[in-house]
Amino acid sequence: MVVMLNFVSLFEGEVVKKCNFYVGVASIIITSPVLLHPLQHIAVIGTGYVGLVTAAGLAHCGNQVTAVDTNEQKIDALRNGIMPIYEPGLDRLVKDTYEAKRLTFSTDVQSAIAENDILMIAVGTPMADNGAADLSYIAHVMDTIATSMNDFKIICIKSTVPVGTGSWARTFLHEKGIASDRFCMVSNPEFLREGSAVADFLHPDRIVLGIECERSFSSMHDMYAPLIDQGVPVVKTTLETSEMIKYASNAFLAVKLSFINEIANLCDALHADVKDVSYAMGLDKRICPYFLRPGPGFGGSCFPKDSSALLYTATLHGVDLKVVAASLATNEAQKEVAFKKLLAVVDGDIVGKTIAVWGLAFKANTDDIRYSPALRVIECLVHAGANVRVYDPAAMENTRALFPDLYYAHDMYNALDEADALVVMTEWSSFGNADLTIVIQRMRHPVIIDARAVFDPQQLVNHGIIFDMIGRSCSAVKN
Ligand code: UGA
């Protein structure tokens, strides 16, 4: 197969070099990487979903990787093949690279820093109370690097950090007495989606490298060589621009979602079907079909956190990001749309009703419930006096810690027993494949609010189910 290697070099916003040339490769799926490039020794600091996927992915690319974390329990579990998160394909990737001895685990951060050439920082940057990114974990790692550095190091920030953090880290090391010629800072943002992070690592749309010295570019290029050799475009740019690319990408996707969610709400008011609207919009290449699926609002640790952090940075610099602010405000309102639809279907009479909720995770294929719209709906239901029965294939334990008093069903049908209505909040494929005859038998009343459009409206009609969907109420049966 012939694929195009597309190399784009950007400096100060301008494309200064662009060359396309052709290489022959056997397959876009990396099964056993051929090492034509020097092996890189890498320490990945932090084994959250970004750090762990990055560590295993880079080991899969043929590098020698040490994944470090100060949490001993987690590292012990990883050595025994137990994953700290639910992420499809990750256990296999970790197992294969660990057994091949290209991936090792350690709690000794200092030694990992001393023994490796590339230090990838992949610790959390959670949202602080004021909306800013909390950089305390990054600062702590930089402090450890400062005290453990021996030789020249490439210090690469993988975590999502505000524009200027790489430059701040450079100054930080200088202030600790570390000379400029002993390190280079790199920004290499991740674009992994939870639930498909392994596939996203192995088949990225682009690799962004914000660099400040050619030596680091060459090492980073070698580190990603098996991906680059298969045609993944590399964007070479400055630290600040690279950091901005990450925030701008997430904020743009968040805006796209809030836009389609607003259009979906308008479709409901006008009896139009958002499914066709979104499909037809997506056929326009300038719009593209992805991220046009309306729903109960976006969640997860990234879009809400990164949009807020971008707003915070913009405010500090006197720039008014009205569109980004609007997308967040729209999203907050969107999280209550499913509850409002339920209220409308039951004529506002929710006290003492039994409501089943299918889906707790912020999206399918993850156990992550951070900023999940399902949590808001559960809060509304509990506050309104409903009895709530919930089920999720992966996120039950995480939710139980927040809402210990709900009924946690042992399977999706058990959640429906004696339910007056079902609200579907996450698009797990098992929900869409549910047997509607069983659904009806188990429920007291056949009422479904399908906030993720997992069901085919015609099937619901055929089964005599009273239902509503976001942007598709034109197909709903009213009682
Ligand atoms: C997002 C980005 O997609 C990744 O590129 C980025 O690396 C990551 O954030 C990050 O910054 O770490 P993630 O939050 O894991 O990834 O998940 P997405 O698939 O982007 O979904 C985010 C939210 O949007 C979910 O609540 C999902 O249900 C919602 N969504 C997504 C929709 O409602 N409709 C869509 O069409 C797509």
Side-chain angles (χ1 to χ4, degrees):
M1 185 174 77
V2 171
V3 295
M4 190 174 69
L5 186 73
N6 188 2
F7 180 78
V8 184
S9 173
L10 284 170
F11 265 104
E12 296 177 354
E14 258 182 274
V15 177
V16 293
K17 180 182 174 194
K18 178 171 175 147
C19 52
N20 298 328
F21 52 95
Y22 292 87
V23 290
V25 289
S27 164
I28 197 75
I29 297 162
I30 304 163
T31 46
S32 55
V34 183
L35 280 180
L36 300 172
H37 301 265
L39 172 115
Q40 300 298 314
H41 289 86
I42 305 157
V44 176
I45 303 167
T47 57
Y49 104 99
V50 172
L52 192 52
V53 173
T54 301
L58 289 174
H60 184 77
C61 286
N63 299 289
Q64 193 60 47
V65 183
T66 308
V68 265
D69 203 298
T70 47
N71 184 333
E72 287 187 18
Q73 245 182 325
K74 204 177 186 187
I75 291 297
D76 271 351
L78 281 166
R79 286 190 183 121
N80 289 308
I82 300 164
M83 298 299 109
I85 47 164
Y86 176 91
E87 186 62 44
L90 183 60
D91 47 357
R92 177 73 201 279
L93 195 70
V94 168
K95 182 174 182 284
D96 288 353
T97 48
Y98 185 65
E99 283 175 2
K101 299 197 177 359
R102 285 202 300 274
L103 175 64
T104 56
F105 295 105
S106 172
T107 52
D108 184 351
V109 187
Q110 279 95 342
S111 299
I113 291 168
E115 288 161 12
N116 290 284
D117 306 319
I118 300 178
L119 313 176
M120 307 272 288
I121 304 176
V123 293
T125 53
M127 197 193 312
D129 290 342
N130 59 1
D134 174 354
L135 295 181
S136 51
Y137 297 111
I138 298 272
H140 183 70
V141 172
M142 286 309 300
D143 208 33
T144 314
I145 290 175
T147 54
S148 315
M149 269 181 65
N150 45 0
D151 220 340
F152 178 83
K153 302 290 171 193
I154 292 166
I155 304 169
C156 171
I157 301 187
K158 194 75 176 155
S159 313
T160 302
V161 289
V163 180
T165 303
S167 162
W168 164 85
R170 186 203 305 121
T171 309
F172 177 88
L173 290 181
H174 287 164
E175 285 170 357
K176 296 273 177 182
I178 297 168
S180 296
D181 60 357
R182 290 186 58 205
F183 71 95
C184 264
M185 292 305 304
V186 172
S187 160
N188 172 218
E190 54 85 17
F191 300 101
L192 310 174
R193 289 163 299 172
E194 290 185 33
S196 55
V198 171
D200 287 348
F201 184 92
L202 297 176
H203 307 286
D205 290 339
R206 76 293 209 191
I207 293 169
V208 176
L209 294 174
I211 56 145
E212 49 180 14
C213 71
E214 281 307 316
R215 180 173 174 181
S216 64
F217 180 68
S218 162
S219 298
M220 297 296 291
H221 199 278
D222 287 340
M223 182 179 92
Y224 282 120
L227 305 180
I228 297 168
D229 286 351
Q230 296 194 55
V232 177
V234 175
V235 179
K236 179 183 178 187
T237 184
T238 63
L239 288 179
E240 285 76 11
T241 306
S242 169
E243 291 163 346
M244 180 56 103
I245 287 168
K246 168 67 191 210
Y247 277 101
S249 300
N250 271 6
F252 181 79
L253 290 170
V255 166
K256 197 171 176 186
L257 290 178
S258 280
F259 178 84
I260 198 65
N261 282 337
E262 285 192 341
I263 293 295
N265 297 340
L266 187 59
C267 281
D268 278 338
L270 300 176
H271 306 289
D273 189 338
V274 75
K275 182 171 180 245
D276 292 347
V277 172
S278 141
Y279 172 69
M281 281 174 68
L283 290 176
D284 186 328
K285 290 187 184 62
R286 295 168 302 174
I287 296 175
C288 120
Y290 305 110
F291 269 71
L292 280 179
R293 208 178 57 241
F298 57 76
S301 69
C302 305
F303 291 165
K305 165 177 82 75
D306 296 347
S307 297
S308 298
L310 189 61
L311 276 180
Y312 183 83
T313 304
T315 308
L316 285 185
H317 291 82
V319 178
D320 192 6
L321 297 185
K322 290 192 183 68
V323 175
V324 177
S327 103
L328 280 176
T330 294
N331 197 53
E332 281 314 296
Q334 192 68 16
K335 287 181 177 178
E336 295 190 2
V337 167
F339 177 70
K340 286 180 179 154
K341 282 183 176 294
L342 175 68
L343 277 184
V345 172
V346 299
D347 288 331
D349 181 14
I350 206 113
V351 184
K353 290 256 162 47
T354 297
I355 309 296
V357 177
W358 277 3
L360 302 167
F362 80 96
K363 60 186 263 189
N365 301 320
T366 179
D367 59 355
D368 195 344
I369 57 166
R370 284 174 291 176
Y371 299 97
S372 173
L375 304 184
R376 175 71 63 79
V377 165
I378 290 169
E379 269 168 17
C380 292
L381 288 169
V382 170
H383 189 250
N387 304 312
V388 185
R389 299 170 69 88
V390 299
Y391 177 73
D392 186 285
M396 302 272 269
E397 288 319 306
N398 287 340
T399 311
R400 204 190 294 270
L402 291 181
F403 295 97
D405 298 331
L406 306 178
Y407 177 82
Y408 288 85
H410 47 77
D411 63 36
M412 62 183 181
Y413 295 118
N414 172 236
L416 301 177
D417 287 336
E418 298 302 308
D420 294 292
L422 162 66
V423 186
V424 182
M425 292 299 294
T426 312
E427 71 283 18
W428 287 97
S429 58
S430 53
F431 297 160
N433 294 328
D435 183 332
L436 290 175
T437 310
I438 302 178
V439 167
I440 295 167
Q441 281 166 359
R442 303 288 284 255
M443 295 181 75
R444 189 182 294 144
H445 296 113
V447 174
I448 297 179
I449 305 299
D450 181 4
R452 294 285 191 171
V454 299
F455 293 117
D456 172 4
Q458 192 54 52
Q459 290 294 318
L460 297 174
V461 171
N462 294 349
H463 283 81
I465 293 171
I466 297 160
F467 70 96
D468 205 350
M469 292 177 167
I470 292 172
R472 310 197 66 197
S473 60
C474 54
S475 53
V477 177
K478 300 293 176 197
N479 54 0

